[in-house]
Amino acid sequence: MADNTKPEPDYTFTQELLSFIEEWKIKPGSLIMILHKTQETFGYISRPAAEQIARLTGISLARIYGVITFYHFFKTTKPGKHKIAVCMGTACYLKGAQDYLDDIRKILGIAPNEVTEDGQFSVDPVRCIGCCGLAPVLTVGTDVFGKLTRDMTPGIIDQYRNV
């Protein structure tokens, strides 16, 4: 009989992360820095990671989740392999960024804060990418796509399928 259970993800804190937490836990504003480093390490902040941070710092889990959920930058679910960011800054927004965001979610079949079933894609609105002269703009990972037209988005997504 086959075992269809998925193995638990590895949330083992590296020595580098443990040292970082040890150094920062006594400094003012430490929680934000610790959360940034944790998300940099794992790609998001899982419940087990948040619990470990609470144990290591003495900061309550409720306070940790209060910070994580207040700031949109922090993610509590694992992002897709290909993270798509749609700029919602003023220039992009005025040039239809919401339509691009809606189109991409429809193409991928996902709602806000979801990841495609195959784990390949997630999409988030971002405040500004800093390429206002190229509006509207989206990124896939570190790749920037500007001066978008709505017919371009399916092709952009197809470039990253099965990669």
Side-chain angles (χ1 to χ4, degrees):
M1 178 184 267
D3 182 9
N4 292 333
T5 60
K6 292 182 180 177
E8 281 295 312
D10 183 11
Y11 298 111
T12 305
F13 279 34
T14 63
Q15 188 56 50
E16 177 186 0
L17 182 56
L18 290 169
S19 296
F20 184 89
I21 292 170
E22 187 62 31
E23 175 187 343
W24 274 90
K25 72 180 183 181
I26 59 170
K27 296 180 181 182
S30 64
L31 182 54
I32 296 281
M33 296 301 294
I34 291 168
L35 292 173
H36 274 288
K37 186 68 169 178
T38 303
Q39 184 159 293
E40 179 185 306
T41 301
F42 299 112
Y44 68 112
I45 303 169
S46 66
R47 173 76 183 215
E51 291 170 349
Q52 179 75 343
I53 291 168
R55 281 190 296 277
L56 293 169
T57 64
I59 298 170
S60 74
L61 188 59
R63 182 164 169 229
I64 290 168
Y65 266 93
V67 171
I68 291 170
T69 57
F70 179 79
Y71 292 103
H72 292 289
F73 173 80
F74 296 118
K75 304 293 178 201
T76 56
T77 56
K78 185 176 181 177
K81 177 181 175 184
H82 304 292
K83 295 179 270 186
I84 301 172
V86 178
C87 183
M88 297 301 252
T90 303
C92 291
Y93 186 80
L94 291 174
K95 291 191 175 191
Q98 184 64 53
D99 293 331
Y100 293 97
L101 182 63
D102 295 341
D103 288 350
I104 292 167
R105 286 182 175 151
K106 185 176 179 179
I107 290 166
L108 296 174
I110 57 175
N113 302 313
E114 289 186 346
V115 177
T116 55
E117 283 187 23
D118 61 5
Q120 290 296 303
F121 295 96
S122 57
V123 60
D124 291 301
V126 295
R127 295 291 165 230
C128 184
I129 291 176
C131 300
C132 301
L134 298 176
V137 176
L138 69 81
T139 63
V140 181
T142 59
D143 299 334
V144 178
F145 299 89
K147 297 190 184 265
L148 295 172
T149 59
R150 288 181 76 180
D151 62 328
M152 293 169 63
T153 52
I156 292 169
I157 292 167
D158 285 345
Q159 291 178 43
Y160 296 88
R161 291 195 192 274
N162 305 315
V163 174

